[in-house]
Amino acid sequence: MNLAQKDLKYIWHPCSQMKDYEDLPPIIIERAKGLYLYGADGKKYADVVSSWWCNLLGHCNKRINDAVKRQLDKLEHVIFANFSHKAAIELCEKLVEKLPCGLSKVFFTDNGSSAIEAAMKMSFQYHYQTGNPQKKKFMALTNAYHGETVGALSVGGVDLYSKIFKPLLIDVIRIDGPDCYRCRYGKCRENCNAECFESAEKYLDEYGNETSAFILEPVIQAAAGMKIYSPVYLKKLRRCCDKHNVHLIADEIAVGYGRTGRMFACNHADITPDIMCLGKGLTGGYLPMALTVTNDKIYKAFYADYNKGKAFVHSHTYSGNPLACAAAVEVLNILKEEDILKKANDKAEYFNSLVREALESHKNIGDIRSSGLINAFEIVMNKKSKKPFDCKKRTGYRIYKEALKMGLLLRPIGDVMYFNPPLTIKKSEMESVVEICRKAVNNILK
Ligand SMILES: *Cc1c(COP(=O)(O)O)cnc(C)c1O
């Protein structure tokens, strides 16, 4: 039995129809460096999806490797209730300096979905113990993605993930989210006034008094297919949430850490959310860790004598894991000392022009959108009507398989293909991945 066969004997892979693996068996990766994964089959793959958006500074980054090794020989893990350690403290000190002004308290979780759960519970309990127990509802956008656990899935709005589980989920007030490619107002993102905010405003005016928090992914709804929208939407939302004493929870798990060209997507709108969730790139894609950060006002609502019963009694076994914290500290050091964001932004325009040049004229490429180094394109049957292909044709998946043959990992979201590479991708690598992508698209959509 070879390794791939053994894999299939034992392993149930995430987000997969395992029958697909009959045709495309698991690709065994032996090692990785920078943009590239090296397979046991001797092939190399350009990882332009940052292995599910978490690899921020290239695989096996020497500085992060060394930082984790140093930490490993000192302290691998310690209970985080009443105990602490230097790596966690250093991380928070450095992070708070970079966060939007006012976010000052850091709560540790161990994956993105858990960070969302913690944020929702924190908001709910805050209102409960500040005299507003009627604030029980959450508002979230259509096409939102916030993770897979039951609370996070409830605020998510992608049927593919949640439809079957509807009877299990908490009831959420669903707001029609922005859709700039198929704008209901006939506007364009670059100069609109986020007219589509009106539906959020209507619901906040009507149900604000019973709403605990409004949660959204700022600037890009990533799992929806890299749907990018105007920061004006966030400005309006901030004002409206304040008016109704509704918390604004910014899920920056996918878009934080420079993915959109700014350290945090909220920076584009110059707003501070009440709660921000971070994950993915936080540890450079090394170890599972996530954070729920908030402000003093929320923190203080839980601060009281023990017998008042106001504490936030929420925990994860691996909260504040020192290895993950050491990786996360080094990520912040690298971002600063190597001026990563500025360099990424200098390259971003070039990347986008390459993508446009290669794909814009293709008859089935309906929209190309970008923010920071994220570049996405949407495949449609008809460019004029923007009508998609029948999803049963699995066009995106077929392009993915074609690109894999040529050494490019271009995992699609339905018929949206995207690049979300490490911020350290080189110009020559951009040229080669875009060229392979162009070929793969042309081979499937002749
Ligand atoms: C990935 C993701 C999550 C969930 O994070 P996990 O670590 O996979 O649980 C939540 N929100 C957004 C926006 C994400 O992209």
Side-chain angles (χ1 to χ4, degrees):
M1 217 187 271
N2 67 26
L3 264 185
Q5 288 162 334
K6 242 188 205 171
D7 171 291
L8 290 176
K9 183 172 171 201
Y10 295 110
I11 298 175
W12 193 343
H13 287 270
C15 205
S16 297
Q17 170 48 263
M18 291 309 300
K19 193 164 191 294
D20 280 347
Y21 288 61
E22 285 176 12
D23 191 44
L24 180 64
I27 297 161
I28 311 293
I29 298 301
E30 274 181 347
R31 63 193 173 85
K33 189 75 198 161
L35 181 67
Y36 292 98
L37 305 169
Y38 295 87
D41 56 0
K43 270 181 84 164
K44 74 172 188 179
Y45 300 89
D47 183 5
V48 293
V49 299
S50 295
S51 278
W52 262 344
W53 319 343
C54 61
N55 184 272
L56 193 72
L57 300 167
H59 289 280
C60 278
N61 180 293
K62 173 129 188 9
R63 289 186 62 176
I64 307 175
N65 284 13
D66 289 343
V68 174
K69 287 178 197 166
R70 279 195 305 274
Q71 181 63 46
L72 183 59
D73 282 331
K74 279 194 289 197
L75 173 69
E76 86 300 344
H77 189 61
V78 60
I79 178 174
F80 209 51
N82 225 127
F83 286 76
S84 194
H85 55 86
K86 190 164 164 238
I89 297 163
E90 202 178 333
L91 169 62
C92 296
E93 189 180 22
K94 291 192 156 135
L95 186 63
V96 166
E97 205 182 288
K98 284 196 177 281
L99 285 168
C101 190
L103 293 173
S104 52
K105 292 285 183 215
V106 182
F107 189 88
F108 283 79
T109 54
D110 50 16
N111 64 76
S113 309
S114 299
I116 299 292
E117 303 277 341
M120 292 170 68
K121 287 173 67 181
M122 204 180 264
S123 171
F124 184 95
Q125 188 175 340
Y126 169 90
H127 292 300
Y128 176 83
Q129 50 203 36
T130 54
N132 286 303
Q134 81 287 0
K135 284 183 168 283
K136 293 177 184 165
K137 290 249 167 85
F138 290 89
M139 287 189 188
L141 298 180
T142 47
N143 294 309
Y145 181 87
H146 299 293
E148 306 284 353
T149 51
V150 172
L153 200 60
S154 301
V155 280
V158 180
D159 267 356
L160 174 66
Y161 307 114
S162 57
K163 197 170 166 202
I164 292 172
F165 303 104
K166 287 268 153 78
L168 284 181
L169 304 182
I170 58 171
D171 193 24
V172 162
I173 300 173
R174 186 70 56 197
I175 311 292
D176 270 332
D179 186 349
C180 299
Y181 179 40
R182 297 177 175 88
C183 180
R184 301 183 290 278
Y185 301 81
K187 303 275 175 180
C188 82
R189 178 168 67 241
E190 283 68 31
N191 53 22
C192 76
N193 193 30
E195 281 77 2
C196 57
F197 183 73
E198 71 175 2
S199 73
E201 187 166 27
K202 191 178 114 223
Y203 278 99
L204 276 161
D205 285 343
E206 191 163 348
Y207 300 107
N209 187 45
E210 52 196 271
T211 301
S212 179
F214 193 122
I215 182 168
L216 85 175
E217 302 157 84
V219 180
I220 308 183
Q221 290 191 294
M226 300 296 172
K227 283 179 180 244
I228 304 174
Y229 62 91
S230 166
V232 176
Y233 193 95
L234 298 170
K235 278 191 199 286
K236 289 186 168 181
L237 179 62
R238 178 67 280 180
R239 248 178 274 137
C240 209
C241 281
D242 283 341
K243 183 172 151 200
H244 296 288
N245 187 22
V246 167
H247 290 141
L248 197 173
I249 302 176
D251 177 353
E252 294 240 10
I253 292 165
V255 292
Y257 271 73
R259 292 297 189 183
T260 67
R262 303 290 298 271
M263 183 63 187
F264 301 104
C266 284
N267 296 145
H268 289 282
D270 226 349
I271 60 153
T272 301
D274 300 284
I275 303 175
M276 184 188 276
C277 298
L278 297 170
K280 297 205 162 105
L282 171 68
T283 64
Y286 271 60
L287 287 148
M289 183 165 78
L291 302 174
T292 304
V293 296
T294 189
N295 55 37
D296 280 348
K297 187 177 171 194
I298 291 180
Y299 178 77
K300 282 194 181 126
F302 294 74
Y303 198 87
D305 289 333
Y306 181 82
N307 287 332
K308 293 245 162 55
K310 289 194 166 179
F312 189 48
V313 193
H314 180 105
S315 63
H316 294 285
T317 309
Y318 280 99
S319 295
N321 176 259
L323 298 173
C325 288
V329 168
E330 198 57 21
V331 166
L332 289 178
N333 290 343
I334 296 170
L335 286 177
K336 188 169 176 181
E337 289 158 24
E338 299 183 19
D339 213 1
I340 298 288
L341 245 61
K342 178 169 183 306
K343 287 184 196 156
N345 284 333
D346 290 346
K347 288 176 291 196
E349 206 170 308
Y350 181 64
F351 195 25
N352 185 242
S353 69
L354 286 174
V355 173
R356 287 193 179 280
E357 235 167 77
L359 300 165
E360 204 158 40
S361 60
H362 193 286
K363 69 178 186 343
N364 296 114
I365 293 186
D367 189 31
I368 298 179
R369 40 191 183 250
S370 72
S371 178
L373 286 175
I374 294 177
N375 279 268
F377 59 93
E378 187 160 337
I379 295 157
V380 291
M381 192 166 76
N382 185 317
K383 228 164 156 156
K384 200 145 183 229
S385 68
K386 305 182 182 178
K387 192 174 158 43
F389 280 109
D390 179 355
C391 63
K392 294 212 166 72
K393 286 192 148 154
R394 302 184 78 189
T395 311
Y397 183 68
R398 285 187 293 137
I399 293 170
Y400 161 68
K401 291 210 288 187
E402 184 69 13
L404 271 182
K405 284 191 217 157
M406 295 183 268
L408 177 65
L409 200 184
L410 197 68
R411 198 184 155 90
I413 304 166
D415 283 351
V416 175
M417 319 290 300
Y418 63 89
F419 298 93
N420 185 7
L423 302 182
T424 47
I425 186 172
K426 302 186 185 95
K427 282 189 171 174
S428 58
E429 293 169 335
M430 292 174 172
E431 289 158 11
S432 101
V433 297
V434 170
E435 178 55 18
I436 300 176
C437 174
R438 189 188 64 80
K439 280 189 193 147
V441 170
N442 285 328
N443 289 354
I444 298 300
L445 298 167
K446 291 196 183 72

